[in-house]
C-alpha cells in the first residue's frame, strides 16, 4: 500500500516538473511511508520526509524513535538525529536539496521552523506547493483503504451503542465517554487481530469525547464533563474525533432524549436536521459537484426558516479533514472511492440538533458505513 502511494506521488511530482518534495505533516508522512506515533513538532522534534523524483527517499527523525522508524517506515534511508549533536535535523537536508531546481513543500502544513530553514538554504524562488498534489492523491481511496474505512465504521458503531447505553438520569457525562472509549478500543483490537498483521498499530481510541446535554446542548464541540444528565434532557454524541481506526477517521453523530419525548420545538428542529441530511444523501453520488450536495441540504434548512448552515460535510481519510468539502464554492466532482462525513444540523439560540454519518461514494450512489437509528421514537432512552 505504501509503496504504491510513493510511486504515485513521485509520478505526480515528475508531471509537475518538481525535483524533490519535503514532507513534514504527520498524516502525510504516515500516508507515504507507514511511519506513525513518533514525537513530532509539538515536542520540538521534527520528522521530515524527503522524496526526490529520482533517487532514494530519506526519512529524518529523532534518534529516540529510530527503532519505531526502522520497524514501520517504508523508505530507502533513515537518518536519526539527536539533541545538540551537530546540526541536529538540519544536517541532511542541504545535500538532499542542493541539486534540486524545484522543491515542493506543504505550504499550509509545514512547521514554520522547517519552512524557514528550507527557504534559507534553497531560496524562495525554488519553492513550490505539494499540498494540492497530496490532496488529490488522497481523495480516491484504494481497495485496502476502503476496507479500513468500513472497519472504522464498525468501531464507530460500537462506541455509539456503548455511549447510548451509558446515558441516563443521574449519570455524569464523563461516564458516557469512558464507556464509548472502552467499547471502541475493544472493537478495534478485535478487528486488528482478525484482519491486520500490524503489531505497531494501537487499538486505543483517543481524542476527548464531544458531547453536550441539557442547557449545554448548543455548545457544538463541548467535551464530556462532570455535568450530571437528567430525565427529559437532550444529549448530543459526536465521534468525529474518536473514530480513528488504523489511523482512518470518520464522522458520526446522534441525538438522544432521556426518558421523555422532546417538546414540540425541539422535535421540529430535530426533524429538519434529519430532513436536511436526507436531502443531501439524495444528491450524494458520483458525477455531482461537492457544492451541489451542500446546496440541497442548505435549501431544506433555509426553507424551514433557519439560518444558513455550516458545511454539509467533509471528505475524511487519514486526516480529520481532507478534500473536497461539501460546501459552497467547492466545485470538485465527486468520484467513486471518496469517503465523506455528511451531516444534517440546525442551531438556534436555545437548541441544537445534529445527525451525521459516513459514506463511500460508489459507481451508482453511495454506501453508508455508520448506522444508528434516527427516528424520534428510536432515540428516546
Amino acid at each position: 500500500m505504501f509503496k504504491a502511494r510513493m510511486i504515485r506521488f513521485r509520478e505526480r511530482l515528475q508531471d509537475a516538473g518538481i525535483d524533490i518534495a519535503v514532507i513534514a505533516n504527520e498524516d502525510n508522512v504516515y500516508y507515504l511511508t507507514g511511519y506513525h506515533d513518533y514525537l513530532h513538532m509539538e515536542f520540538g522534534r521534527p520528522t521530515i520526509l524527503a522524496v526526490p523524483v529520482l533517487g532514494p527517499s530519506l526519512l529524518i527523525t529523532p534518534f529516540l524513535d529510530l527503532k519505531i522508524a526502522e520497524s514501520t517506515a517504508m523508505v530507502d534511508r533513515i537518518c536519526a538525529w539527536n539533541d545538540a549533536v551537530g546540526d541536529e535535523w538540519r544536517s541532511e537536508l542541504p545535500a538532499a536539496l542542493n541539486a534540486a531546481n524545484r522543491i515542493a513543500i506543504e505550504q499550509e502544513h509545514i512547521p514554520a521552523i522547517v519552512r524557514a530553514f528550507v527557504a534559507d538554504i534553497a531560496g524562495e524562488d525554488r519553492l513550490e506547493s505539494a499540498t494540492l498534489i497530496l490532496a488529490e492523491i488522497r481523495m480516491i481511496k484504494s481497495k485496502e483503504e476502503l476496507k479500513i474505512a468500513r472497519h472504522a465504521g464498525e468501531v464507530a458503531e460500537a462506541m455509539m451503542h456503548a455511549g447510548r447505553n451509558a446515558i441516563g438520569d443521574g449519570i455524569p457525562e464523563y461516564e458516557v465517554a469512558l464507556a464509548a472509549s472502552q467499547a471502541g478500543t475493544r472493537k478495534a483490537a478485535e478487528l486488528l487481530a482478525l484482519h491486520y498483521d500490524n503489531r505497531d498499530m494501537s487499538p486505543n481510541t483517543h481524542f476527548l469525547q464531544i458531547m453536550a446535554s441539557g442547557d449545554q446542548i448548543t455548545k457544538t464541540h463541548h467535551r464530556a464533563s462532570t455535568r450530571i444528565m437528567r430525565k427529559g434532557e437532550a444529549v448530543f454524541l459526536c465521534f468525529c474525533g474518536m473514530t480513528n481506526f488504523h489511523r482512518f477517521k470518520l464522522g458520526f453523530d446522534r441525538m438522544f432524549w432521556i426518558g421523555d419525548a422532546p417538546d414540540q420545538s425541539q422535535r421540529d428542529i430535530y426533524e429538519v436536521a434529519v430532513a436536511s441530511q436526507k436531502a443531501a444523501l439524495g444528491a450524494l453520488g458520483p458525477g455531482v459537484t461537492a457544492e451541489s450536495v451542500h446546496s440541497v441540504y442548505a435549501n431544506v434548512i433555509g426553507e424551514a426558516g433557519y439560518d444558513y448552515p455550516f458545511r454539509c460535510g467533509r471528505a475524511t481519510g487519514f486526516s480529520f479533514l481532507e478534500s473536497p468539502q461539501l460546501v459552497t464554492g467547492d466545485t470538485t466532482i465527486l468520484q467513486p472511492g471518496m469517503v465523506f462525513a455528511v451531516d444534517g444540523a440546525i442551531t438556534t439560540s436555545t437548541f441544537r440538533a445534529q445527525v451525521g454519518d459516513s459514506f463511500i461514494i460508489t459507481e451508482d450512489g453511495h454506501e453508508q458505513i455508520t448506522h444508528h437509528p434516527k427516528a424520534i421514537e428510536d432515540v428516546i432512552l
Side-chain angles (χ1 to χ4, degrees), residues 264-345:
Q264 192 60 49
S265 64
Q266 291 184 0
R267 179 187 290 267
D268 290 344
I269 293 170
Y270 178 78
E271 289 182 344
V272 173
V274 172
S276 69
Q277 188 205 36
K278 183 178 180 180
L281 298 181
L284 187 71
V288 304
T289 62
E291 67 176 0
S292 69
V293 179
H294 173 85
S295 178
V296 296
Y297 145 88
N299 286 342
V300 170
I301 293 169
E303 289 172 0
Y306 298 102
D307 292 340
Y308 189 82
F310 61 87
R311 69 184 175 214
C312 173
R314 56 195 163 82
T316 67
F318 295 100
S319 296
F320 290 109
L321 175 62
E322 296 192 3
S323 296
Q325 297 185 56
L326 305 179
V327 68
T328 298
D330 195 324
T331 59
T332 306
I333 303 296
L334 305 194
Q335 300 177 59
M338 290 180 172
V339 179
F340 287 96
V342 182
D343 298 323

Side-chain angles (χ1 to χ4, degrees), residues 63-365:
F63 180 78
L64 77 169
D65 283 321
L66 178 59
K67 293 301 181 182
I68 296 177
E70 289 175 338
S71 66
T72 61
M74 299 189 69
V75 293
D76 298 311
R77 188 164 72 91
I78 299 173
C79 174
W81 63 273
N82 210 345
D83 300 313
V85 176
D87 288 330
E88 299 181 343
W89 54 271
R90 301 167 182 84
S91 61
E92 292 283 334
L93 272 179
L97 301 180
N98 281 339
N101 291 318
R102 298 179 66 196
I103 301 165
I105 62 173
E106 306 151 294
Q107 295 279 15
E108 294 82 1
H109 303 294
I110 188 170
I113 191 173
V114 178
R115 190 198 189 288
F117 181 74
V118 172
D120 185 55
I121 63 175
E124 287 285 350
D125 60 337
R126 293 164 63 191
L127 300 185
E128 308 281 346
S129 177
T131 302
L132 183 59
I133 293 173
L134 283 163
E136 290 179 347
I137 289 174
R138 293 175 57 176
M139 279 186 192
I140 310 299
K141 276 53 178 181
S142 67
K143 180 179 178 181
E144 293 87 351
E145 290 166 345
L146 292 178
K147 170 186 172 182
I148 297 172
R150 293 183 179 97
H151 284 152
E154 293 186 40
V155 173
E157 289 172 356
M159 289 191 287
M160 185 67 78
H161 283 290
R164 173 191 176 121
N165 291 338
I167 294 170
D169 180 37
I171 304 297
E173 289 179 343
Y174 70 82
E175 290 289 354
V176 176
L178 287 173
S181 179
Q182 289 181 356
T185 295
R186 291 191 175 104
K187 173 55 72 171
E190 172 191 322
L191 292 169
L192 287 172
L194 286 174
H195 302 284
Y196 302 88
D197 182 21
N198 188 339
R199 293 180 300 168
D200 292 305
M201 189 62 68
S202 175
N204 287 80
T205 62
H206 56 281
F207 198 88
L208 288 174
Q209 173 75 62
I210 296 173
M211 69 174 294
S213 63
D215 59 4
Q216 305 297 301
I217 201 71
T218 55
K219 296 181 178 178
T220 307
H221 293 119
H222 181 272
R223 265 53 176 186
S225 70
T226 57
R227 184 184 186 278
I228 305 298
M229 296 175 288
R230 293 300 181 191
K231 183 180 179 183
E233 291 183 340
V235 181
F236 171 60
L237 290 186
C238 171
F239 295 102
C240 295
M242 292 176 70
T243 303
N244 191 346
F245 173 74
H246 212 293
R247 300 190 66 84
F248 202 101
K249 287 77 168 169
L250 295 179
F252 195 24
D253 314 276
R254 284 296 184 274
M255 299 284 304
F256 302 99
W257 279 265
I258 302 174
D260 298 326
D263 62 33
Q264 192 60 49
S265 64
Q266 291 184 0
R267 179 187 290 267
D268 290 344
I269 293 170
Y270 178 78
E271 289 182 344
V272 173
V274 172
S276 69
Q277 188 205 36
K278 183 178 180 180
L281 298 181
L284 187 71
V288 304
T289 62
E291 67 176 0
S292 69
V293 179
H294 173 85
S295 178
V296 296
Y297 145 88
N299 286 342
V300 170
I301 293 169
E303 289 172 0
Y306 298 102
D307 292 340
Y308 189 82
F310 61 87
R311 69 184 175 214
C312 173
R314 56 195 163 82
T316 67
F318 295 100
S319 296
F320 290 109
L321 175 62
E322 296 192 3
S323 296
Q325 297 185 56
L326 305 179
V327 68
T328 298
D330 195 324
T331 59
T332 306
I333 303 296
L334 305 194
Q335 300 177 59
M338 290 180 172
V339 179
F340 287 96
V342 182
D343 298 323
I346 307 290
T347 299
T348 71
S349 61
T350 58
F351 189 70
R352 183 175 187 280
Q354 180 170 336
V355 294
D357 292 286
S358 288
F359 303 84
I360 297 169
I361 304 299
T362 62
E363 294 290 342
D364 56 0

